[in-house]
């Protein structure tokens, strides 16, 4: 008999659950991003692009679990594929047909994906990319953009959350830790460059040319302002990496949704390695690194350059493989383009709403993502995107307004769209933003 109490028929409220949660989970949560005042909303069920909480309120879900649900909740082909797999077992000390078929599918989406390995999160995919670059080049350092979020690996995390007191000169940004106690050696092995600033980035990279194993880049970094990388910056980094024998490591954990073959397809470039995650798990934990065969073969124990032993108990587990494959098979060129067009409608509509209301707000983004900033003009880098206390207060008020009006947003006021959405949900969001802008217009 199960000892887990069955609360399905009389579920607790979100407020009650949070009281219990605070006793056993630090801060009451397992991920800080779900925190809200006075307590988080607890999910009861999701269906398509709608999410219902334990208190019985249904909202349109523009967070899609931080961009990981490209088809929203409970997409029938994913439910079917996972159910079939559950009956066959969930993880084995054997390789599976599911992983081979899914590897073939993902590799077929981009000519640069010669080989692929799966893991369990975007953090892990970034870690594997960095380790592969070090192993391939024999060099210790990694370069990354100031403010860019790449998950929780020590090196990827450096200068993810600097502030005006810590970030230092723009010519030589400081290496700022996120977690107290991060070893100085980890900080020292990271080189921080400003986004979309060719001259400064080149000057900084040149100083460390002999030591840099790879340049880690998100082509549209969310925390840096959600602006697409400018072509000259990307070309300069690609050219610099080639000239100095370093690798270009793209983080497409979020941006892979932008095109059938990822945002890199739009730019017509190939990374040496690409890290993916989130949506390619179809709602289940996943990460993947794909790229050049000669680099990926560092992980091949029977190859002649086996420098990177890589494993993982749940790597390529068949549930994530089945769910991911079902999700990506349904995210074909037509679905990508439809979702991008829908999101463009939202970007234009919200921008016009900001204009009509006189709110100091603007919209950035691309593909199927947008971010609303409480700033009169779009920030171009992390320092410009950084919120003043007044802007932060207006952002919090805007997010509260949207939540109360029936929208779940990511807490930067970012929306990641899903395929069940139609013009109805997009226009509702535009209206919600317009009423929010009117409400915050009088704030300082
Ligand atoms: C761009 C980017 N890279 C990496 C990660 C880390 O992924 P995960 O949360 O699956 O570890 C994230 C997560 O938000 C991300 O947005």
């Amino acid at each position: 008999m199960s000892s887990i109490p069955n609360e399905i028929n009389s579920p607790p409220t979100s407020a009650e659950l949070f009281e219990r949660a605070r006793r056993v989970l630090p801060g009451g949560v397992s991920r800080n991003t779900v925190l809200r005042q006075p307590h988080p909303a607890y999910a009861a069920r999701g269906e398509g692009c709608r999410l219902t909480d334990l208190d019985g309120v249904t909202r349109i879900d523009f967070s899609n679990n931080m961009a990981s649900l490209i088809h929203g909740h409970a997409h029938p082909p994913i439910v079917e594929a996972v159910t079939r797999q559950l009956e066959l077992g969930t993880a084995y000390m054997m390789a599976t047909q599911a992983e081979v078929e899914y590897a073939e599918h993902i590799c077929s989406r981009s000519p640069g994906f010669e080989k692929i390995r799966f893991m369990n999160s975007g953090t892990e995919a970034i870690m594997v990319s960095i380790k592969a670059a070090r192993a391939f080049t024999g060099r210790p350092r990694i370069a990354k953009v100031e403010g860019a979020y790449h998950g929780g690996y020590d090196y990827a995390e450096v200068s993810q959350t600097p502030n005006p007191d810590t970030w230092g000169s723009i010519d030589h940004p400081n290496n700022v830790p996120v977690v107290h106690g991060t070893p100085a050696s980890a900080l020292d092995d990271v080189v921080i460059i400003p986004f979309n600033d060719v001259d400064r980035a080149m000057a900084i990279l040149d100083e460390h040319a002999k030591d840099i194993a790879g340049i880690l880049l998100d082509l549209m970094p969310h925390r840096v302002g959600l602006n697409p990388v400018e072509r000259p910056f990307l070309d300069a980094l690609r050219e610099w990496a080639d000239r100095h024998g370093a690798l270009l490591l793209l983080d497409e954990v979020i941006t892979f949704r932008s095109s059938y073959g990822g945002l890199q397809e739009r730019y017509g470039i190939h990374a040496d390695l690409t890290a993916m995650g989130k949506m390619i798990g179809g709602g289940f934990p996943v990460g993947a690194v794909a790229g050049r065969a000669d680099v990926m073969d560092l992980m091949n124990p029977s190859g002649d350059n086996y420098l990177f032993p890589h494993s993982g108990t749940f790597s390529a587990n068949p549930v994530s493989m089945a769910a991911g494959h079902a999700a990506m098979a349904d995210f074909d060129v037509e679905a990508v383009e439809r979702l991008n067009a829908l999101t463009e409608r939202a970007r234009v509509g919200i921008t016009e709403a900001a204009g009509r209301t006189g709110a100091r707000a603007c919209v950035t983004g691309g593909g199927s993502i947008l971010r609303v900033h409480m700033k009169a003009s779009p920030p171009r880098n992390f320092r410009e995107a950084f919120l003043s206390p007044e802007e932060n207060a207006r952002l919090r008020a805007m997010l509260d307004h949207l939540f109360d009006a029936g929208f779940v947003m990511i807490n930067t006021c970012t929306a990641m769209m899903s395929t069940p959405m139609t013009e109805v949900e997009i226009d509702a969001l535009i209206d919600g933003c317009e009423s929010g802008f009117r409400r915050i217009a009088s704030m300082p």
Side-chain angles (χ1 to χ4, degrees), residues 66 120-124 126 149-152 218 222 251 253-254 278 286:
M66 290 303 251
N120 294 293
S121 67
T123 293
E124 217 186 322
I126 295 294
Y149 184 81
H150 298 288
D218 182 334
H222 170 203
D251 179 345
V253 169
I254 287 187
K278 296 199 188 250
V286 85

Side-chain angles (χ1 to χ4, degrees), residues 77-78 81-82 102 279-284 318-328:
I78 298 178
V82 169
Y102 194 30
M279 77 162 180
I280 68 157
F284 287 79
V319 178
S320 294
M321 297 295 98
H325 202 163
M328 295 308 286

Side-chain angles (χ1 to χ4, degrees), residues 115-117 273 289 291-300:
K115 290 195 175 172
I116 186 167
R117 275 259 172 135
L273 294 179
V289 177
R292 276 170 50 180
D294 58 342
V295 182
M296 295 300 295
D297 274 336
L298 295 168
M299 292 178 249
N300 175 2

